[in-house]
Amino acid sequence: MNELERSAGNASQWQHLRTPTDQRALFDRFGAMAYGVILQILPQTHLAQEALLDVFTSLSLSSFSTSSTSPALAIIRLARLKALERKARTSEPDAASAEPSSSAGRFSPEFIFDLSFRQGYSFDAISEQLDISKPEILKAVRNYIHLFRRS
């Protein structure tokens, strides 16, 4: 059972986390997972560590406590948000990473996933830019996730 499944039933615990001690407990429990998400977006370790600190010192962390979302999902969302914010502040989008990798006129699922998850583009923006329908984009993301989980 992974961390997401274990924490799915802990939404009631999540609502009681409001003190710095509780934030440290969250860091102890979910810090490695959040750092892994951040490293996917920010491969530079010093920037990733700064983003990780932003996640667990953020006032947004306490605002998630009022939702019915599990703590793991809330922290993943917040980690992704903080990493994308830091990436946008520290560098302009790299022109080389924006080049589509296509095979026979089709874009790879990995490239589409990278655009949506790691670079933060919306599905609508990807659809418009690559001239691909939104259902095809969702299918590519789903295929990449299935390939990634098998490996």
Side-chain angles (χ1 to χ4, degrees), residues 33-47:
M33 177 185 61
Y35 189 60
V37 169
I38 293 168
L39 279 175
Q40 291 291 314
I41 298 167
L42 288 171
Q44 302 90 352
T45 56
H46 67 284
L47 293 175

Side-chain angles (χ1 to χ4, degrees), residues 39-68:
L39 279 175
Q40 291 291 314
I41 298 167
L42 288 171
Q44 302 90 352
T45 56
H46 67 284
L47 293 175
Q49 291 170 355
E50 290 173 8
L52 182 66
L53 287 175
D54 287 347
V55 169
F56 289 98
T57 59
S58 172
L59 295 175
S60 302
L61 192 62
S62 63
S63 71
F64 283 119
S65 67
T66 60
S67 71
S68 61

Side-chain angles (χ1 to χ4, degrees), residues 28 30 54 69 71 90:
D28 289 344
F30 300 110
D54 287 347
T69 308
T90 58

Side-chain angles (χ1 to χ4, degrees), residues 50-151:
E50 290 173 8
L52 182 66
L53 287 175
D54 287 347
V55 169
F56 289 98
T57 59
S58 172
L59 295 175
S60 302
L61 192 62
S62 63
S63 71
F64 283 119
S65 67
T66 60
S67 71
S68 61
T69 308
S70 77
L73 292 176
I75 289 172
I76 287 172
R77 288 179 185 142
L78 188 58
R80 181 178 178 272
L81 176 70
K82 294 294 183 180
L84 288 172
E85 286 174 357
R86 186 159 300 270
K87 183 177 182 179
R89 279 186 286 174
T90 58
S91 67
E92 292 299 314
D94 191 9
S97 68
E99 289 299 317
S101 59
S102 65
S103 58
R106 309 290 300 171
F107 296 95
S108 73
E110 181 179 5
F111 176 71
I112 293 173
F113 179 82
D114 183 67
L115 286 175
S116 67
F117 184 78
R118 295 182 184 120
Q119 295 185 32
Y121 292 104
S122 70
F123 291 142
D124 294 328
I126 295 169
S127 175
E128 182 180 305
Q129 201 68 354
L130 300 180
D131 195 30
I132 299 174
S133 70
K134 197 170 178 180
E136 288 180 65
I137 291 171
L138 294 173
K139 184 178 179 183
V141 168
R142 180 180 178 270
N143 289 341
Y144 178 73
I145 289 172
H146 283 290
L147 287 172
F148 184 76
R149 288 180 71 192
R150 287 185 200 140
S151 61

